[in-house]
Amino acid sequence: MSAPLPPLGLQVVDSHTLGEPTRIVVDPVAAGWLAGSGTIRQRRDTFRRDHDPLRRALVADPRGAEAMVGVILAPPADPRCRFGAIYFNRVGYLDMCGHATIGLAVTLGHLGWIQPGRFDLETPAGVVVVTWHGGASASFENVPARRTARGVRLRCDDGHEVTGDIATAGLWFFITSDHGEVVEPASIPRLTARGWAIRRALEARGLSGDAGEVIDHVVLLGPPADRANQGCNFVLCPDGAFDRSPCGTGTSALVGCLHEDGALAAGAVWRQESILGGVYEATVRRDADGAIVPTVRGSAWITGETVLRFGADDPYRLGLPPRGAPGGSP
Ligand code: PYC
């Protein structure tokens, strides 16, 4: 099969959630890329098989940006849901993304496609309950948070030892306070290097999610810069960029661990600061099965309503080639 090409023009709405960029494809042509039967997760997998080059066309250089997460909307399979969505970045797909879900709610509100209130969203990770509070404010009740390993000691290839937890809340995380770095903007290159060393150590130990998923997000915790908040984080994402926001799924996984440790009561608010100072407010509740269900609230702002152009003679209409490929970029 020949590689799919993007249409000559494609409508998108861009936003940032506390600095972390999201690109929502709102062009009706894109729903056709996810057409067919099956769950959003199954249709995402078919998109990956048949249309993957479109992913980099949308979010990699020169049209996208490092750290950008793209979202394509599609009709849900789950009758409870109003929308379905898939998430992706320059290097692959995300089963769920918190900052992009907040960006999605604000974008749908901006377009007049929703009114303030809640709707159910089918994601590859499961059903997420999204609330647009009006203006820039939105929240999502995530899929349950689960810790699968506690106090995991890793020896990194730079000789450093760290101890942390493996947890999930739509994505997989290694979460640690014991990393030996100062969590502040001046340390971002060191924190990035520490995050990669932890990822290599996880891989070397064969540690993964419970269905073999790569633990591809690393959360390094530190004290907050603002005493109104409870903690600060640096989150290394799979494409090597750091999350400019406090990471919606990472905050979900963290509050799940805190609740299990007895450090956060159900309903109490945890204010999670990002390395850049943006704040998410998170709470947890226990559902009828005892699962820990996190809710995260944050803010997003529209940055552009654009028609992306993919000229037929543009050598980079599918984005710059990936890292490691000839002429490639990160
Ligand atoms: O907010 O969940 C999140 C997220 C994941 C990767 C980047 N942001």
Side-chain angles (χ1 to χ4, degrees):
M1 179 192 281
S2 58
L5 292 176
L8 291 178
L10 196 70
Q11 270 182 294
V12 300
V13 178
D14 290 348
S15 60
H16 75 86
T17 304
L18 301 169
E20 182 77 349
T22 304
R23 170 162 288 164
I24 316 275
V25 183
V26 294
D27 203 294
V29 85
W33 301 335
L34 292 173
S37 56
T39 62
I40 279 290
R41 185 180 185 86
Q42 289 165 331
R43 282 181 279 150
R44 187 275 312 272
D45 293 345
T46 307
F47 177 89
R48 172 164 37 203
R49 188 191 66 203
D50 297 341
H51 295 291
D52 187 55
L54 298 176
R55 175 178 55 75
R56 282 188 65 82
L58 287 165
V59 294
D61 290 332
R63 291 171 188 77
E66 82 160 12
M68 179 176 267
V69 170
V71 179
I72 300 176
L73 287 171
D78 188 321
R80 287 171 296 173
C81 295
R82 178 142 174 219
F83 300 98
I86 70 164
Y87 306 87
F88 49 89
N89 61 19
R90 294 180 299 174
V91 298
Y93 296 84
L94 303 167
D95 284 352
M96 170 43 197
C97 178
H99 91 265
T101 300
I102 291 171
L104 172 64
V106 170
T107 296
L108 293 174
H110 169 78
L111 292 171
W113 293 8
I114 59 169
Q115 295 302 312
R118 53 166 273 179
F119 64 91
D120 289 358
L121 177 71
E122 184 181 340
T123 76
V127 175
V128 171
V129 182
V130 184
T131 302
W132 179 44
H133 302 282
S137 179
S139 56
F140 63 92
E141 185 178 90
N142 203 352
V143 298
R146 269 184 316 117
R147 173 161 55 192
T148 58
R150 182 183 182 151
V152 178
R153 188 134 189 88
L154 295 175
R155 188 171 176 79
C156 298
D157 52 16
D158 56 5
H160 216 92
E161 297 208 344
V162 300
T163 305
D165 294 354
I166 296 173
T168 184
L171 297 173
W172 283 90
F173 295 91
F174 184 82
I175 304 175
T176 175
S177 311
D178 168 40
H179 46 72
E181 302 292 343
V182 180
V183 180
E184 61 180 15
S187 303
I188 287 173
R190 292 180 61 93
L191 294 162
T192 302
R194 172 73 42 237
W196 277 118
I198 290 172
R199 279 203 55 183
R200 289 191 298 275
L202 287 163
E203 200 185 326
R205 284 270 300 277
L207 293 169
S208 62
D210 44 24
E213 299 92 339
V214 178
I215 301 165
D216 55 4
H217 290 76
V218 178
V219 181
L220 306 180
L221 300 171
D226 180 342
R227 287 197 332 202
N229 306 323
Q230 273 84 38
C232 179
N233 68 18
F234 168 90
V235 182
L236 182 69
C237 295
D239 67 349
F242 72 93
D243 195 330
R244 280 70 170 150
S245 85
C247 192
T249 49
T251 295
S252 300
L254 173 67
V255 292
C257 295
L258 291 167
H259 181 65
E260 227 178 64
D261 291 341
L264 182 69
V269 176
W270 179 268
R271 289 176 55 87
Q272 181 63 49
E273 196 179 80
S274 81
I275 182 94
L276 300 185
V279 175
Y280 284 154
E281 290 184 349
T283 56
V284 293
R285 69 174 177 86
R286 289 268 185 184
D287 74 8
D289 300 324
I292 303 173
V293 182
T295 294
V296 175
R297 181 168 179 160
S299 302
W301 292 269
I302 305 297
T303 55
E305 293 173 83
T306 310
V307 178
L308 296 178
R309 296 285 175 200
F310 305 89
D313 61 345
D314 179 347
Y316 295 131
R317 67 187 151 161
L318 290 177
L320 289 184
R323 190 198 313 250
S329 77

